[in-house]
Amino acid sequence: GESVGLHLPTLSVQEGDNSIINCAYSNSASDYFIWYKQESGKGPQFIIDIRSNMDKRQGQRVTVLLNKTVKHLSLQIAATQPGDSAVYFCAENGQNFVFGPGTRLSVLP
Amino acid sequence: GAVVSQHPSRVICKSGTSVKIECRSLDFQATTMFWYRQFPKKSLMLMATSNEGSKATYEQGVEKDKFLINHASLTLSTLTVTSAHPEDSSFYICSASISSYNSPLHFGNGTRLTVT
């Protein structure tokens, strides 16, 4: 069935460094992917999305890479800031949106 | 744009009582809304899909008589946890999408339910 998994459930980075959060998905038919950021006690917040006809998309300080060959998705955050500390979820759009288990990003001063 | 409002943000109730959670799309119409449940340090688990004007579609293992969903208008869906028990304590989050095709879900800020 559909599933989305995340590598590295926790990630610690120094402030100012770049962060890379990875995600593996299993449904090769999925054609739309999203990254969400969830801060403690809040709902997930949309960061960036990508369609399967693209392999890279950039936003403000964030880049999403999609490798359909190996069914892998990554989120790159440039110049990580303390405010980036949160749990990050990838999601794929199959029959319904399926969310990965999440990666907790901690930014060290 | 695409703001989803959820109320209340926190609620404490006694075992056996019912609790209603509201989810509103403030600046768009949502024919479909989704209700998720999230346990501590876990991912989001889809409970049900709320369809305006029709019955909700529940995921396997979710009791429809326990978690009553009503989607009476294009901007409001409600989730009622009936006869709540401590094991129903959780973080409940609703979401909606502007479009049904390749459009992100926009989430409310969740409701922390504690059943004593």
Side-chain angles (χ1 to χ4, degrees), chain B:
Chain B
V3 177
V4 175
S5 175
Q6 190 172 339
H7 178 80
S9 57
R10 290 178 177 270
V11 59
I12 300 173
C13 70
K14 293 185 177 180
S15 288
T17 61
S18 296
V19 173
K20 180 185 285 188
I21 303 169
E22 292 188 348
C23 180
R24 294 180 184 273
S25 56
L26 297 187
D27 51 1
F28 66 101
Q29 294 183 330
T31 55
T32 304
M33 291 185 175
F34 303 89
W35 287 96
Y36 289 85
R37 182 173 180 175
Q38 188 176 32
F39 292 101
K41 299 184 180 180
K42 296 294 184 182
S43 189
L44 288 81
M45 181 188 76
L46 180 65
M47 298 175 64
T49 301
S50 172
N51 305 298
E52 187 269 335
S54 65
K55 292 182 179 180
T57 303
Y58 289 83
E59 294 300 300
Q60 190 173 9
V62 178
E63 300 176 58
K64 61 181 181 182
D65 295 329
K66 174 111 182 124
F67 299 100
L68 298 179
I69 291 173
N70 184 277
H71 195 151
S73 77
L74 288 172
T75 60
L76 174 64
S77 175
T78 61
L79 168 68
T80 301
V81 183
T82 62
S83 186
H85 288 84
E87 58 265 30
D88 299 325
S89 298
S90 194
F91 193 52
Y92 294 88
I93 317 173
C94 71
S95 69
S97 178
I98 292 176
S99 168
S100 61
Y101 180 70
N102 284 355
S103 179
L105 293 178
H106 299 279
F107 288 86
N109 262 335
T111 297
R112 172 73 59 194
L113 170 64
T114 303
V115 184
T116 61

Side-chain angles (χ1 to χ4, degrees), chain A residues 21-42:
Chain A
I21 301 172
N22 296 304
C23 177
Y25 65 95
S26 61
N27 186 356
S28 57
S30 293
D31 60 359
Y32 181 58
F33 305 86
I34 307 175
W35 280 101
Y36 286 94
K37 172 186 180 182
Q38 187 178 26
E39 296 175 287
S40 181
K42 296 184 178 180

Side-chain angles (χ1 to χ4, degrees), chain A residues 35-106:
Chain A
W35 280 101
Y36 286 94
K37 172 186 180 182
Q38 187 178 26
E39 296 175 287
S40 181
K42 296 184 178 180
Q45 176 186 3
F46 170 83
I47 301 174
I48 192 168
D49 58 1
I50 188 168
R51 289 172 172 74
S52 59
N53 61 351
M54 304 171 68
D55 53 21
K56 179 179 181 179
R57 189 163 188 227
Q58 288 185 291
Q60 187 176 13
R61 280 201 309 120
V62 295
T63 300
V64 56
L65 299 177
L66 175 62
N67 185 331
K68 294 181 289 293
T69 302
V70 295
K71 291 184 284 188
H72 183 267
L73 192 69
S74 69
L75 177 70
Q76 300 178 2
I77 304 174
T80 311
Q81 301 170 0
D84 295 327
S85 294
V87 177
Y88 290 82
F89 293 97
C90 64
E92 63 174 317
N93 189 9
Q95 182 177 1
N96 286 308
F97 276 100
V98 177
F99 288 82
T103 294
R104 178 172 295 280
L105 174 66
S106 298

